[in-house]
Amino acid sequence: MTQFKTLDDLTDIAGKRVLLRVDLNVPVSDGAVTDTTRVERVAPTIMELSRKGARVVLLAHFGRPKGAAVASMSLGPIAGVVEDVLDHRVHFAADCVGEVARDAINAMVDGDILLLENTRFHPGEERNDPDFATALAKNGDVFVNDAFSAAHRAHASTEGLARHLPAYAGRTMQAELQALEKGLGNPARPVAAIVGGAKVSTKIELLRNLVEQVDALVIGGGMANTFLAARGVNVGKSLCEHDLVATARDIETLAAKSDCALVLPIDAVVAREFKAGADNETVHVEDIPTDAMMLDVGPKSVEAINAWITKADTLVWNGPLGAFEIAPFDVATVSAARHAARRTREGLLVSVAGGGDTVAALNHAGVSDSFTYVSTAGGAFLEWMEGKPLPGVDVLKR
Ligand code: AMP
């Protein structure tokens, strides 16, 4: 973290115009915001800057308007949501650049908070157009990025702007980067990774990167079937990408070369229907009936996974071990999650999780608060697990 400047380095901020990139891309259903987690995550940075007397100008995107103003993707209604979470007045300006933004910013007093309209209403945002970044930068003295979740994109408000103004990581960005450093950057060893979820096809890069970095890679979920099939196991009607067995074999070879233990299911909980409460039985993976599908890994597999969690000093987790949304196929995910949570609470494990359905799975297990860090960043978290550079982070190192 020493590579990045944080709010601790931002002295004499009173009266300055801080352009603060945040993630306000909250889920909406029938016009109502259904989850305010993202707003809550950035609230500490907003309020710290406001308390210090900065004029806090929020930059954010919302949805995919593709470079044009789309009324249904206006951040206008979100200003009220931010106001409720912060319990502080939040002003709104109907454009993020030009006269409208300038006038609203000129009207601010110290400590004020202003939300600017969706940055993606301008085509220059996603193109990272230098002229658009210049137009944004005109309205600020300092840039703070607190949107790790948007850091995998080189857009004007996540990357370009940091080339125009002194740039700092906000508190959420700082916490995320520190957690990632502990997870894979410079982890305590041994490191175990759990990768589950539906398909290998969405996680090839991630698997390739992990086998080179970790001491054990546990593969669960639907994707385990492809690895089992690659070993010649008949997985019956299980979700399986037969066209990817060669890729699975490559990853297994890479694991062996890298001294990474590949931990595949030993037994399986199988059913004939994908639905809650479906009749099920537990069988050895070699004995999956041809008309049945694995919907969870079995108890012997959980024992092996938990033994690795016990052995590990660090755990990185993405994806559920089974179809956790439909009981009883949540058992393995819940059991491993609770074991990891216990070890973390006892100070014996650093546990970092995130991406896709992982947050929902850990919430379902009731353990999110016990993990060292649960990232809600989605795509950026996955790209980090894939070992890809994150432009919005790299530019803060300049
Ligand atoms: P992902 O978004 O790739 O992490 O995948 C998560 C999804 O994988 C969840 O909706 C799970 O229900 C699903 N999943 C996990 N295990 C299995 C399985 N054995 N068979 C089918 N789907 C599964």
Side-chain angles (χ1 to χ4, degrees):
M1 239 350 263
T2 46
Q3 296 161 292
F4 309 95
K5 290 200 181 119
T6 70
L7 298 196
D8 296 327
D9 301 296
L10 200 46
T11 46
D12 293 334
I13 194 67
K16 298 243 172 74
R17 301 165 304 164
V18 176
L19 296 182
L20 173 59
R21 180 59 159 95
V22 287
D23 180 359
L24 299 180
N25 204 20
V26 287
V28 175
S29 175
D30 293 331
V33 173
T34 54
D35 184 85
T36 56
T37 308
R38 286 184 158 161
V39 185
E40 286 152 27
R41 288 242 168 168
V42 293
T45 300
I46 300 174
M47 291 314 294
E48 181 177 340
L49 289 167
S50 166
R51 267 195 310 275
K52 289 178 173 169
R55 302 174 182 201
V56 189
V57 181
L58 304 178
L59 290 171
H61 74 274
F62 189 56
R64 295 195 168 148
K66 300 206 163 100
V70 177
S72 63
M73 294 179 205
S74 170
L75 277 169
I78 306 298
V81 177
V82 181
E83 198 162 85
D84 289 345
V85 170
L86 299 179
D87 196 19
H88 189 289
R89 178 80 202 274
V90 175
H91 304 270
F92 179 74
D95 201 351
C96 63
V97 288
E99 265 175 49
V100 172
R102 190 198 58 209
D103 292 349
I105 290 166
N106 285 345
M108 293 173 87
V109 299
D110 294 0
D112 268 2
I113 301 166
L114 167 73
L115 172 61
L116 300 182
E117 184 57 285
N118 197 340
T119 51
R120 289 192 188 169
F121 280 5
H122 292 268
E125 163 70 339
E126 293 186 68
R127 274 191 223 138
N128 200 6
D129 175 7
D131 290 340
F132 181 64
T134 305
L136 286 173
K138 259 191 197 156
N139 290 320
D141 303 305
V142 167
F143 173 57
V144 176
N145 191 349
D146 213 23
F148 176 82
S149 53
H152 55 316
R153 314 251 189 246
H155 292 172
S157 71
T158 61
E159 203 270 355
L161 203 41
R163 298 179 180 277
H164 291 272
L165 296 174
Y168 300 80
R171 294 299 182 201
T172 302
M173 175 73 97
Q174 182 185 350
E176 184 98 27
L177 296 177
Q178 281 166 344
L180 300 191
E181 185 65 13
K182 277 198 213 164
L184 282 184
N186 188 16
R189 291 193 177 272
V191 185
I194 297 178
V195 180
K199 292 178 168 181
V200 174
S201 50
T202 56
K203 297 189 184 171
I204 296 170
E205 297 307 317
L206 183 150
L207 294 166
R208 279 193 208 282
N209 183 44
L210 285 180
V211 290
E212 294 194 327
Q213 314 249 4
V214 306
D215 302 290
L217 174 62
V218 173
I219 298 193
M223 63 195 301
N225 295 307
T226 306
F227 280 85
L228 290 171
R231 287 185 180 180
V233 173
N234 187 338
V235 295
K237 289 229 160 62
S238 301
L239 178 68
C240 179
E241 292 167 287
H242 290 282
D243 54 330
L244 283 178
V245 291
T247 304
R249 267 190 215 116
D250 284 351
I251 290 167
E252 183 148 15
T253 308
L254 198 58
K257 265 194 211 150
S258 311
D259 248 343
C260 167
L262 199 66
V263 183
L264 292 188
I266 303 160
D267 53 354
V269 182
V270 300
R272 273 128 189 119
E273 291 172 284
F274 190 98
K275 70 166 199 201
D279 276 346
N280 63 85
E281 57 185 314
T282 300
V283 296
H284 191 276
V285 289
E286 301 277 357
D287 301 321
I288 297 175
T290 47
D291 64 342
M293 57 193 154
M294 161 150 66
L295 289 183
D296 199 9
V297 304
K300 287 202 179 77
S301 313
V302 172
E303 221 175 278
I305 294 167
N306 284 352
W308 265 110
I309 293 174
T310 302
K311 208 186 285 185
D313 283 0
T314 303
L315 175 70
V316 182
W317 189 337
N318 168 259
L321 292 170
F324 75 98
E325 304 94 334
I326 48 169
F329 308 105
D330 58 341
V331 169
T333 303
V334 169
S335 164
R338 291 194 177 154
H339 184 57
R342 226 173 0 252
R343 299 285 296 173
T344 308
R345 278 197 302 270
E346 288 166 2
L348 301 168
L349 182 72
V350 170
S351 49
V352 178
D357 279 345
T358 316
V359 182
L362 296 183
N363 283 341
H364 173 75
V367 301
S368 296
D369 292 343
S370 302
F371 268 53
T372 309
Y373 197 79
V374 178
S375 172
T376 53
F381 183 86
L382 288 174
E383 292 202 16
W384 164 77
M385 270 185 115
E386 289 170 356
K388 290 194 180 144
L390 301 172
V393 171
D394 290 345
V395 77
L396 295 179
K397 293 182 195 164
R398 278 158 32 99

